[in-house]
Amino acid sequence: MDEDVEKRTVRMLLRLLVSSFLLAGTSFAVPTKEKRVHRHGDLSDHPHKDATDFQYDHEAFLGKEDAKTFDQLTPEESKERLAKIIGRIDINKDGFVNHSELHYWIKHRQRRYIEENVNKHWREYDVNQDDKISWEEYKNTTYGYYHGEEFDDVEEKDTYKAMLTRDQRRFKEADRDHDGIATREEFTAFLHPEEFDHMRGLVVQETMDDIDKNGDGKVDIDEYIGDMFTPENGEKEPDWVLTERQHFHQIRDENKNGYLEAAEVAQWVLPTEVDHADNEAKHLIHETDTNKDEKMSKEEILVNWNMFVGSQATNYGEDLTKRHDEEVLLRRTNIWEED
Ligand SMILES: *[C@@H]1O[C@H](CO)[C@@H](O)[C@H](O)[C@H]1NC(C)=O
Ligand SMILES: *[C@@H]1O[C@H](CO)[C@@H](O)[C@H](O)[C@H]1NC(C)=O
């Protein structure tokens, strides 16, 4: 591309960026009450009812996409692939899968879409292909030749500067060893800060920057509602907004001083959740560890294979092991339904 064309392209892209950035800070008349809240959700859309099927376990263990693939395999193919997976889960290669290895595995299956997103952008930003992304590489790729002076429009110019400042602050926060260069893990934290404990403060700060319009370092009821809802020509507040007003006072404002401070904003946008991956790891080990040494051998897992992965047989119940499965299921039902 010749330089002028490139410049124009960057400029166009940037305008797009700026306008979407402006939009992101604007409220719509549609219910946007949940837009700030980062939830990780459950491991599967299926109910966890092992008495009926193992869909929940399959999706938790494999991720949704791979669980579908396994459902198309014969039991033999399925077990073969499972055996290979076990080798990958067993990080220290001691021949056993323990709780921490399984917990880590399940968490990563759930984070796969994030890793895919990072991979997608990696090559684009890693200009010199050293498998790291420096701040300058990121800045050049995203903002090109722009310095912010090119905008005629004052609002655009300010927005551009705000974007750059925000990006730079976030990059610094993600760059844990402060060398100005992001590894893959650090770049993942940059693109998806809500996934990382050490980025919590920054996520809260960015939320504050968006909502705290008068800049007094706390969120009042008008700022809180204003972020979700803007009435259009005298429109009455819908019920969900009234509910949100109550939530502000009754739930979010824990110290009842009429404002949300950083800690309260953190509780709101990054709620502490049940660690589903932890529960599922415990559950799978409990069901599989027949000799009760609190870890699973490859043999134990393969005996219990259809709890971990699907196949045509487990789908349609035509397998020879069906009788056995039914007995196991009966036993499991009791255990699972205790809680
Ligand atoms: C479980 O596996 C992890 C990772 O391989 C290892 O560091 C840890 O020591 C293991 N824990 C036990 C109790 O064996
Ligand atoms: C970024 O762009 C500037 C100005 O065009 C250039 O001097 C610099 O070498 C570039 N940096 C990287 C890492 O590509």
Side-chain angles (χ1 to χ4, degrees), residues 265-327:
V265 170
Q267 228 6 75
W268 165 39
V269 299
L270 297 164
T272 28
E273 296 174 305
V274 180
D275 186 346
H276 297 287
D278 178 50
N279 285 344
E280 180 64 6
K282 284 183 186 143
H283 168 61
L284 289 174
I285 292 175
H286 180 82
E287 295 300 335
T288 306
D289 171 27
T290 29
N291 69 357
K292 301 295 164 207
D293 60 356
E294 291 180 1
K295 53 195 181 184
M296 304 182 293
S297 66
K298 192 169 186 170
E299 292 70 32
E300 285 173 326
I301 296 174
L302 289 176
V303 166
N304 198 20
W305 67 278
N306 61 1
M307 187 166 209
F308 292 83
V309 296
S311 83
Q312 288 162 352
T314 49
N315 270 350
Y316 301 111
E318 299 301 332
D319 189 20
L320 287 175
T321 60
K322 190 172 175 236
R323 258 188 91 80
H324 165 76
D325 290 348
E326 274 168 0
E327 283 160 21

Side-chain angles (χ1 to χ4, degrees), residues 21 24-25 32-38 166 169-170 193-194 199-215 217-220 223-224 226-228 252 260-271:
F21 185 81
T32 48
K33 56 184 180 225
E34 287 277 305
K35 77 172 178 198
R36 297 279 173 198
V37 183
H38 302 286
R166 189 173 169 125
R169 183 177 64 186
R170 196 195 270 197
E194 68 283 354
M199 301 291 283
R200 273 180 82 91
L202 178 106
V203 173
V204 172
Q205 183 64 58
E206 289 185 359
T207 310
M208 280 288 202
D209 292 349
D210 291 344
I211 301 180
D212 174 21
K213 300 290 184 207
N214 66 8
K218 49 197 186 183
V219 175
D220 61 36
E223 289 166 340
Y224 179 79
D227 183 55
M228 306 175 186
R252 314 245 179 270
L260 307 189
E261 287 89 13
E264 290 162 341
V265 170
Q267 228 6 75
W268 165 39
V269 299
L270 297 164

Side-chain angles (χ1 to χ4, degrees), residues 13 28 34 64 73 83 86 95 135 145 156 166-167 198 205 208 223 256 265 267 290-291 294:
L13 275 175
F28 299 90
E34 287 277 305
K64 285 178 192 159
L73 304 177
I86 297 169
W135 163 248
Y145 297 91
E156 279 186 356
R166 189 173 169 125
D167 265 359
H198 72 272
Q205 183 64 58
M208 280 288 202
E223 289 166 340
K256 310 292 175 210
V265 170
Q267 228 6 75
T290 29
N291 69 357
E294 291 180 1

Side-chain angles (χ1 to χ4, degrees), residues 62 69-85 302 305 309-313:
L62 295 167
T69 311
F70 271 78
D71 284 345
Q72 308 306 316
L73 304 177
T74 66
E76 288 67 34
E77 288 167 331
S78 219
K79 278 189 261 188
E80 216 169 282
R81 289 204 196 179
L82 174 60
K84 288 195 185 123
I85 289 175
L302 289 176
W305 67 278
V309 296
S311 83
Q312 288 162 352

